[in-house]
Amino acid sequence: MAEQNNAANNNVEKDINQLLKVRREKFKDLQDRGKDPFVITKYDVTHHSMEIKDKFEELEGKTVTIAGRMMSKRVMGKASFCHVQDIQGTMQSYVARDSIGEEDYADFKKMDIGDIVGIKGEVFLTKTGEISIHAQEVTLLSKSLQVLPEKFHGLTNTDIRYRQRYTDLIMNQDVKDTFIKRSKIISSIRRYLDAKGFLEVETPMLVSNAGGAAARPFETHYNALDEDVKLRISLELYLKRLIVGGLERVYEIGRVFRNEGLDTRHNPEFTLMELYQAYTDYNGMMDLTEDMFRHVAQEVCGTTVVPYGDVMIDLGTPFKRITMIDAVKEYAGVDFDAIKDTVEAKKIADEKGVHYEARHEKGDILNLFFEEFVEEHLVQPTFVMDHPVEISPLTKRKPDKPDYVERFELFITGREMCNAYSELNDPIDQRERFKAQEAALAAGDEEANTTDEDFMNALEIGMPPTGGIGYGIDRLVMLLTNQPAIRDVLLFPTMKSLDK
């Protein structure tokens, strides 16, 4: 069987090599005849495929020009049909020798699937009822020297799809639709926040201190300054500096970089949005988040009830709100309010089979219980509130419960969608939190923060009470496009080099 497969693969490779050879010969012939398509610098497109179909009654009998990639061709003697694909879809064209001329028709018959062409002609309806263009001119705009995947099965190899996204976009319309929708989602977010008085800003990507999140940064060297720098893991500390400076509502949508593994939810570089609003708290951030998710879903998807896998996610109903302690109590049957200290928390963890490290304290173990027993159950939108202080180094404590902080995470489909705080603006408390983070770093926690002295200086100048939040844009796109993996919503996901 293995020998048969190898023989079949060798035959396929020979066939492809022959096709590639033929395409190059065709290109050489075009050059020899002074018809090199690559010398063409522009082509005036008047319409796109869907536009013609939507406005057929208005355009019937009128001359239009379209351009795109030839995806099929059916030659029938003196007349042929082809389908041209542009950004909106495909358009059929009827190409007849008597309409475009004998020489041009001979050239058309030699064109290959994958060639980029321009077609000028009249809009009409075929006998089978398909809106088409009766070609008057067919112009070869770019010669495809490669062979596209077999059209009926499309491009299904996921490794090739991610490595050659350009081919994926050509062969899979649903993939193209996903990325068009991604763009619309980000535009909708911007419109929403701009209307709320937020300013979009830009902050550094290369930083000396990569703080604001629990993650290991990528490190590099800045030759001009002879300094080691890091790629940012968060947008937080610079945006807070702007709140100190008096910009009361700011947001940034940008790439951040975390030196961690790859899976269905994580990519080392991804799109994060963070926003900060002076004179509000985490309750204000919850209200804004719920309203924004509802707004974006309605604007982009036309509904607030969206499919994800085999469930319908209801973004129109008020989101559930629950504390982390109550969530662990509900799903794990353990009441951390009744647990006195770290020793008792570790004992309960041992009983429940929850793995922890020696450095972990009671709050860390509460979070481990949440991850182990709760997250997967939070399918419909749920705000999980009031995290332990040990895992929240930049968050304001709850006045009535100082071991916990004013923080929430939004979970949908069992995934964290965003993370928000009533921002810590007490510089004395913040310095102590940084000290605790540096102790954790020294104890082996590679994701712990270090003290950012310039940020501390900003806090000492004075930051107003502020609510802040970070959103994983890629996960929101996954939700609203019904995609199972983050790679399916990243145009160019991180891939291991083929040379390795």
Side-chain angles (χ1 to χ4, degrees):
M1 181 62 73
E3 290 180 1
Q4 290 177 345
N5 288 338
N6 287 335
N9 288 335
N10 287 336
N11 288 334
V12 169
E13 187 173 340
K14 288 180 181 177
D15 289 343
I16 290 176
N17 287 337
Q18 181 60 31
L19 290 172
L20 296 178
K21 180 182 178 183
V22 169
R23 289 193 177 211
R24 280 161 174 75
E25 288 173 350
K26 289 180 180 179
F27 175 53
K28 179 66 165 56
D29 177 64
L30 288 167
Q31 287 180 312
D32 291 344
R33 293 191 291 123
K35 293 187 175 183
D36 185 345
F38 296 119
V39 303
I40 297 174
T41 58
K42 63 174 291 188
Y43 186 79
D44 292 326
V45 175
T46 63
H47 295 79
H48 286 84
S49 55
M50 189 58 66
E51 181 185 5
I52 294 171
K53 293 174 183 178
D54 289 342
K55 298 179 179 179
F56 172 69
E57 292 183 1
E58 175 187 334
L59 293 173
E60 185 178 13
K62 294 184 179 178
T63 299
V64 299
T65 58
I66 66 167
R69 191 176 300 274
M70 188 182 296
M71 299 303 291
S72 71
K73 187 176 70 168
R74 190 168 77 254
V75 177
M76 303 178 299
K78 298 177 182 179
S80 303
F81 285 94
C82 68
H83 281 87
V84 174
Q85 177 177 287
D86 61 21
I87 192 170
Q88 294 183 354
T90 60
M91 173 59 63
Q92 178 174 268
S93 179
Y94 172 70
V95 184
R97 185 187 67 181
D98 292 344
S99 297
I100 68 170
E102 191 167 339
E103 182 179 345
D104 286 348
Y105 188 66
D107 286 341
F108 169 79
K109 289 197 295 182
K110 293 179 181 178
M111 291 181 188
D112 292 305
I113 303 303
D115 287 351
I116 297 174
V117 299
I119 294 180
K120 179 179 180 180
E122 287 186 4
V123 178
F124 78 111
L125 195 67
T126 66
K127 293 178 181 179
T128 58
E130 183 170 353
I131 296 171
S132 305
I133 297 175
H134 188 151
Q136 299 164 350
E137 297 175 6
V138 178
T139 305
L140 181 62
L141 301 173
S142 179
K143 182 66 186 168
S144 176
L145 300 179
Q146 274 288 354
V147 179
L148 291 177
E150 195 271 310
K151 66 177 180 179
F152 293 108
H153 298 100
L155 180 61
T156 57
N157 182 301
T158 54
D159 188 71
I160 295 176
R161 285 182 56 228
Y162 297 144
R163 291 185 188 278
Q164 297 183 17
R165 183 66 84 187
Y166 44 89
T167 309
D168 191 22
L169 291 166
I170 293 168
M171 301 306 300
N172 296 316
Q173 182 62 41
D174 57 336
V175 172
K176 187 180 292 184
D177 292 342
T178 292
F179 288 104
I180 291 172
K181 185 175 277 190
R182 178 189 174 103
S183 179
K184 290 179 178 178
I185 289 167
I186 295 173
S187 295
S188 180
I189 290 170
R190 283 193 165 104
R191 281 192 296 272
Y192 177 86
L193 292 176
D194 292 346
K196 295 284 185 182
F198 283 84
L199 297 174
E200 184 173 9
V201 298
E202 295 172 308
T203 61
M205 289 189 183
L206 289 173
V207 295
S208 58
N209 188 326
R216 186 166 61 179
F218 287 94
E219 299 181 0
T220 187
H221 186 76
Y222 192 175
N223 291 334
L225 298 179
D226 192 25
E227 288 183 1
D228 292 332
V229 292
K230 301 175 177 66
L231 290 172
R232 66 185 180 187
I233 60 173
S234 169
L235 314 174
E236 180 166 349
L237 300 185
Y238 281 96
L239 291 178
K240 284 183 178 178
R241 287 168 167 90
L242 300 181
I243 294 292
V244 170
L247 301 182
E248 295 181 1
R249 298 186 181 201
V250 294
Y251 75 97
E252 180 174 6
I253 300 174
R255 296 295 249 191
V256 296
F257 310 86
R258 298 182 181 181
N259 199 349
E260 55 191 21
L262 295 86
D263 58 30
T264 57
R265 304 183 190 187
H266 299 90
N267 194 72
E269 57 173 307
F270 61 97
T271 303
L272 181 66
M273 181 179 82
E274 293 194 30
L275 65 85
Y276 293 84
Q277 179 179 341
Y279 312 114
T280 190
D281 62 2
Y282 77 144
N283 291 300
M285 293 293 99
M286 272 187 271
D287 293 340
L288 182 147
T289 297
E290 186 169 340
D291 188 53
M292 186 179 75
F293 271 52
R294 196 167 292 139
H295 166 87
V296 173
Q298 184 65 53
E299 186 171 273
V300 176
C301 302
T303 178
T304 56
V305 180
V306 297
Y308 193 79
D310 57 359
V311 299
M312 299 300 292
I313 303 300
D314 187 355
L315 299 170
T317 301
F319 295 4
K320 180 179 178 180
R321 303 186 182 195
I322 188 171
T323 66
M324 183 177 282
I325 283 180
D326 286 343
V328 169
K329 188 175 179 180
E330 178 178 339
Y331 291 101
V334 177
D335 183 0
F336 270 76
D337 271 339
I339 294 175
K340 298 176 184 177
D341 53 28
T342 297
V343 173
E344 190 173 338
K346 288 182 175 180
K347 181 180 178 182
I348 295 292
D350 291 336
E351 293 173 1
K352 291 285 187 176
V354 175
H355 175 73
Y356 57 86
E357 298 179 22
R359 62 183 174 80
H360 283 152
E361 299 184 15
K362 175 185 170 183
D364 298 299
I365 294 170
L366 167 61
N367 186 55
L368 292 173
F369 267 76
F370 175 79
E371 292 174 349
E372 180 74 22
F373 295 105
V374 181
E375 281 191 11
E376 63 181 309
H377 298 287
L378 306 180
V379 176
Q380 295 300 327
T382 304
F383 289 119
V384 177
M385 309 178 295
D386 302 350
H387 295 51
V389 70
E390 290 91 340
I391 63 168
S392 311
L394 298 164
T395 317
K396 217 171 229 192
R397 296 176 190 264
K398 292 182 67 64
D400 59 338
K401 206 171 185 180
D403 288 341
Y404 296 86
V405 297
E406 293 190 349
R407 173 183 174 186
F408 73 81
E409 294 172 292
L410 172 63
F411 283 85
I412 306 176
T413 69
R415 296 171 177 167
E416 176 201 337
M417 304 298 290
C418 63
N419 183 22
Y421 314 149
S422 294
E423 301 297 335
L424 179 60
N425 61 342
D426 177 347
I428 308 301
D429 190 358
Q430 181 64 80
R431 187 169 290 280
E432 292 303 311
R433 305 270 194 101
F434 274 139
K435 285 182 181 178
Q437 285 286 295
E438 293 198 353
L441 184 66
D445 184 355
E446 294 180 328
E447 297 183 345
N449 289 187
T450 57
T451 304
D452 186 326
E453 288 297 345
D454 183 72
F455 175 67
M456 288 304 309
N457 184 63
L459 283 191
E460 289 174 1
I461 287 175
M463 185 173 84
T466 298
I469 189 165
Y471 301 91
I473 294 295
D474 306 306
R475 292 187 183 180
L476 176 58
V477 175
M478 288 169 64
L479 173 68
L480 296 182
T481 59
N482 195 10
Q483 295 297 328
I486 192 170
R487 289 183 174 189
D488 294 317
V489 299
L490 297 175
L491 280 167
F492 301 102
T494 301
M495 302 289 290
K496 187 174 182 178
S497 172
L498 291 173
D499 297 331
K500 297 295 184 181

